[in-house]
Amino acid sequence: MNAKKKIYLTCEDYTVSNKKFDLLYNSAYEMLETFPKPIGKELASYYESDNYISHTDSKKSFTDKLYQIVKKVALQNKLKLINSFKTTQKTILDIGCGTGDFLLMCKKNGWNVTGVEPNIKAKKIANKKLSLTNSQVLYSELKEINSQKFDVITLWHVLEHVPDLEPYLLKIKAMLKPNGILIVAVPNYKSYDAFYYKHFWAAFDVPRHLWHFSKTAIRKLFLKQQMNVVNILPMKFDSFYVSLLSEKYKTGKSNFINAFYVGLLSNLKALKTKEYSSLIYIIKNG
């Protein structure tokens, strides 16, 4: 199957291994697939790095500090988004909850929270935070959750990491209430910053990112599950952060001014194209 797909780009893992991986273009879905795909323990090993910031609360470098500042603003925006939905019991499942900040904010604002986080270190940090609210609701895998159904399920930059994509979507649908809301945030390889940095684009993040989505891909994948994309929202901060990392991969230096310029230009171009660096998809269960 892979031999029939054209190579879109060849990228390097700048975080852990420095190995190279191909991005294969799937024309039916307008999406890219990382090849070869690591599996099992090999895949898990690519996450074992202090540089993988979503699994830590690191504030060591300037980039780390910038990430944490942006994260606080993003958390407020995420909370505002989920509060805009009419729900029956305010139950939310955050898949890939990382170090638990989003769940903690939801809990403090009246949501009944559940989280899934496979990374042991991140889960330990999240459990420590959530214990402050007497909430022990973290799991390592979806299958550990019994028959509970949720009003809202969120995957903030998670779907691109899932090895078995379509079976996973089927499982998520089964956990969502009728007319429930699924929120999926993923990088957008059709953004200007992706075109500018090409194989240096940090959001390709091979091989941790196994899939690279377009709007067409998300719509088609969820339509197969009788789920409809009802809205698409931009993540405007992502272009700046991704550009900063991309500059480092490309030149070995942070180059803050150029990163800011590319990030800004990407957002300005997206005002017309709507192809922002990352997109949030609001998906309704049919």
Side-chain angles (χ1 to χ4, degrees):
M1 181 177 72
N2 290 315
K4 296 179 181 180
K5 296 172 184 174
K6 293 182 180 179
I7 296 176
Y8 180 84
L9 273 179
T10 298
C11 298
E12 185 176 327
D13 171 20
Y14 294 99
T15 305
V16 175
S17 68
N18 295 114
K19 291 181 180 178
K20 292 189 176 181
F21 297 83
D22 291 331
L23 302 182
L24 304 182
Y25 181 66
N26 182 327
S27 58
Y29 283 87
E30 290 184 26
M31 63 188 284
L32 308 176
E33 305 173 18
T34 297
F35 180 81
K37 287 188 179 72
I39 58 173
K41 290 183 179 179
E42 183 191 1
L43 180 58
S45 70
Y46 286 102
Y47 290 87
E48 296 302 320
S49 170
D50 291 337
N51 292 326
Y52 197 69
I53 193 168
S54 66
H55 285 169
T56 74
D57 283 336
S58 176
K59 296 178 182 177
K60 294 177 183 177
S61 68
F62 176 82
T63 305
D64 291 346
K65 292 174 183 176
L66 181 62
Y67 177 87
Q68 299 301 339
I69 292 169
V70 170
K71 186 169 78 170
K72 287 181 180 179
V73 178
L75 285 171
Q76 292 290 343
N77 291 337
K78 290 175 183 179
L79 180 66
K80 185 178 179 181
L81 177 61
I82 64 167
N83 281 340
S84 69
F85 305 128
K86 293 181 180 179
T87 60
T88 54
Q89 297 174 308
K90 293 191 75 172
T91 55
I92 185 167
L93 169 64
D94 186 30
I95 301 173
C97 63
T99 57
D101 295 287
F102 177 61
L103 281 182
L104 182 59
M105 178 169 280
C106 291
K107 181 71 177 179
K108 288 179 177 179
N109 284 271
W111 285 82
N112 300 302
V113 302
T114 303
V116 173
E117 177 50 59
N119 184 271
I120 296 172
K121 292 179 182 178
K123 186 181 174 185
K124 187 176 180 180
I125 296 170
N127 259 324
K128 188 175 180 181
K129 289 177 184 176
L130 289 165
S131 67
L132 299 175
T133 61
N134 299 312
S135 175
Q136 297 296 332
V137 288
L138 293 190
Y139 299 90
S140 297
E141 299 180 60
L142 276 183
K143 64 182 180 181
E144 295 175 8
I145 303 173
N146 296 323
S147 57
Q148 186 177 356
K149 289 184 180 287
F150 299 89
D151 293 300
V152 178
I153 297 178
T154 57
L155 295 95
W156 303 107
H157 287 289
V158 169
L159 196 63
E160 61 268 34
H161 298 265
V162 174
D164 300 313
L165 192 56
E166 291 195 39
Y168 199 83
L169 298 185
L170 187 63
K171 193 179 297 183
I172 290 171
K173 178 180 172 64
M175 302 179 77
L176 198 60
K177 291 180 182 180
N179 297 313
I181 296 293
L182 174 66
I183 300 174
V184 174
V186 288
N188 175 26
Y189 79 90
K190 291 194 173 185
S191 65
Y192 173 77
D193 47 299
F195 285 119
Y196 179 86
Y197 287 109
K198 297 182 174 64
H199 56 282
F200 294 111
W201 192 51
F204 281 132
D205 198 25
V206 294
R208 288 158 295 279
H209 290 189
L210 303 170
W211 315 95
H212 313 271
F213 302 101
S214 65
K215 293 177 185 176
T216 299
I218 293 293
R219 287 193 179 100
K220 285 188 173 183
L221 284 166
F222 283 98
L223 197 58
K224 285 185 72 174
Q225 307 298 336
Q226 290 77 52
M227 301 175 75
N228 297 302
V229 176
V230 295
N231 200 6
I232 303 175
L233 304 171
M235 298 187 81
K236 295 180 181 179
F237 284 119
D238 279 33
S239 64
F240 297 104
Y241 182 71
V242 169
S243 294
L244 193 59
L245 289 177
S246 302
E247 282 291 329
K248 194 169 184 179
Y249 296 162
K250 184 177 181 179
T251 67
K253 299 177 182 179
S254 295
N255 291 329
F256 300 113
I257 295 174
N258 197 52
F260 180 81
Y261 173 75
V262 175
L264 179 61
L265 188 57
S266 185
N267 281 338
L268 290 174
K269 286 181 177 290
L271 290 173
K272 182 177 181 180
T273 65
K274 306 303 179 187
E275 301 287 4
Y276 289 89
S277 185
S278 290
L279 295 167
I280 300 171
Y281 295 87
I282 313 300
I283 303 162
K284 192 170 184 179
N285 195 13

